Amino acid sequence: MHPVTIRTFLNKKEKKEKIIMMTAYDYPSAKLLDEAGIDAILVGDSLGMVVQGNTTTVPVTLEHMIYHAQMVSRAVQRALIVVDMPFMTYQESPQQALHHAAELMRLGGAQAIKVEGGSEIAPTVSRLTSAGIPVMGHIGLTPQSVHALGGYTVQGRTAHAARRLFADALALQKAGAFAVVLEVIPTEVAQTVTTQLQIPTIGIGAGPNCDGQVLVFHDAMGYTNGYVPKHNRVYTHLAESIRTAVQAYIDDVNSGNFPAQEHSIHLKAEELEILNQLNDPKTPPSQ
Ligand code: KIV
């Protein structure tokens, strides 16, 4: 089994093989994804929404990311572990970014980090990559800027906006990023970026022509309260299965159907006999 590295990403692009990434935030899900053969696991700051129940990723802290990255890195043998740098842990200065990226790698087990932003973040990407930290970029809909963008809306819809995205993607590549996530942009724009770049593009809501795809675990597994983004495919219905299972458990306990014989522990016959004798009111109390 060969572990996936950033080299694998570049090789896959060259060979026109798809790169498959999914988010995970804990040990059991990361283990299942890794065993299934996923190429990369993203410990995404989307955990702020799908795990913590916030409406944005803004409240997520570096400590949260380290905590979740530790669980994931304990589980993973093969996949590349990419960890998101959360809101305002890299935007202040390249030095701040370097310090925090090092924490994610040293304490969290990250093998690469992801930052949101285009040309404006290129000097930071450059600083990180020149220090030996693999960086994945992220442009298009960048959820940490949800308030500046005015909501979770499609980006790059006009020719001018699309050209800004091309410039951003090229700036990230020039700064040394090994891949770039394209989130919620028109298929044609994603296709052009993918063709123009030597590094792979990983799409989410960016059509089928990217070099790879990424999905949020909870969305793909139907483990949400019902809201599903348009670009997501629900591969199974975990929430429904859990609801059914919990109802069955409640019913079983109420009806006496659980625990059954096979879930119960019994005393050995000779111990039971002694206990019954001791409990017999005719047995004199022991001293
Ligand atoms: O945080 C996340 O899960 C992400 C993906 C949506 C790409 O950034």
Side-chain angles (χ1 to χ4, degrees):
M1 180 193 48
H2 294 290
V4 177
T5 67
I6 62 168
R7 272 261 114 234
T8 319
F9 270 53
L10 299 169
N11 289 342
K12 281 202 162 210
K13 172 148 183 146
E14 266 166 41
K15 291 196 220 150
K16 297 196 185 319
E17 288 173 9
K18 293 287 184 188
I19 298 162
I20 325 287
M21 180 158 88
M22 191 174 270
T23 68
Y25 317 102
D26 61 22
Y27 181 91
S29 58
K31 193 161 168 52
L32 289 171
L33 295 186
D34 193 44
E35 286 170 358
I38 209 108
D39 294 312
I41 292 183
L42 172 65
V43 185
D45 62 353
S46 50
L47 69 87
M49 299 171 78
V50 297
V51 176
Q52 296 176 337
N54 296 305
T55 53
T56 74
T57 59
V58 170
V60 177
T61 66
L62 193 75
E63 287 67 32
H64 295 154
M65 296 309 298
I66 291 170
Y67 175 69
H68 285 275
Q70 284 172 338
M71 291 184 249
V72 168
S73 57
R74 270 178 223 130
V76 172
Q77 308 270 318
R78 177 186 168 274
L80 183 75
I81 303 168
V82 185
V83 181
D84 261 338
M85 297 201 69
F87 181 64
M88 283 305 144
T89 62
Y90 58 98
Q91 288 91 341
E92 262 175 45
S93 67
Q95 202 50 35
Q96 183 214 24
L98 189 62
H99 177 70
H100 288 148
E103 302 260 282
L104 288 175
M105 295 183 85
R106 236 173 338 111
L107 305 176
Q111 295 164 336
I113 58 94
K114 177 164 79 58
V115 291
E116 296 182 7
S119 311
E120 77 287 358
I121 209 79
T124 295
V125 173
S126 201
R127 181 72 189 94
L128 294 174
T129 54
S130 62
I133 297 175
V135 178
M136 181 177 279
H138 182 160
I139 56 175
L141 171 52
T142 45
Q144 291 173 16
S145 308
V146 59
H147 300 304
L149 296 174
Y152 295 105
T153 52
V154 180
Q155 302 298 303
R157 266 188 186 285
T158 64
H160 285 299
R163 280 184 60 79
R164 275 198 299 278
L165 282 177
F166 300 155
D168 283 339
L170 286 169
L172 291 170
Q173 173 174 274
K174 193 159 172 235
F178 73 95
V180 57
V181 167
L182 306 178
E183 181 163 355
V184 191
I185 62 173
T187 300
E188 299 75 15
V189 179
Q191 180 166 14
T192 309
V193 175
T194 302
T195 316
Q196 288 188 353
L197 289 189
Q198 272 130 36
I199 58 170
T201 59
I202 313 291
I204 176 162
N209 302 313
C210 298
D211 297 304
Q213 296 291 327
V214 55
L215 281 179
V216 169
F217 178 86
H218 290 59
D219 293 343
M221 300 302 156
Y223 192 21
T224 64
N225 283 336
Y227 170 74
V228 179
K230 175 180 154 51
H231 56 259
N232 182 66
R233 180 171 286 169
V234 183
Y235 282 90
T236 186
H237 299 277
L238 276 193
E240 213 34 62
S241 303
I242 291 172
R243 250 183 233 117
T244 308
V246 174
Q247 193 53 58
Y249 171 54
I250 292 170
D251 293 348
D252 278 353
V253 174
N254 281 332
S255 68
N257 193 27
F258 178 84
Q261 276 306 328
E262 66 268 30
H263 312 116
S264 306
I265 301 150
H266 294 284
L267 272 180
K268 284 193 177 134
E270 60 269 30
E271 291 299 329
L272 184 60
E273 198 179 320
I274 297 168
L275 185 63
N276 285 339
Q277 276 170 17
L278 292 172
N279 283 343
D280 188 335
K282 285 180 271 171
T283 307
S286 54
Q287 296 301 309

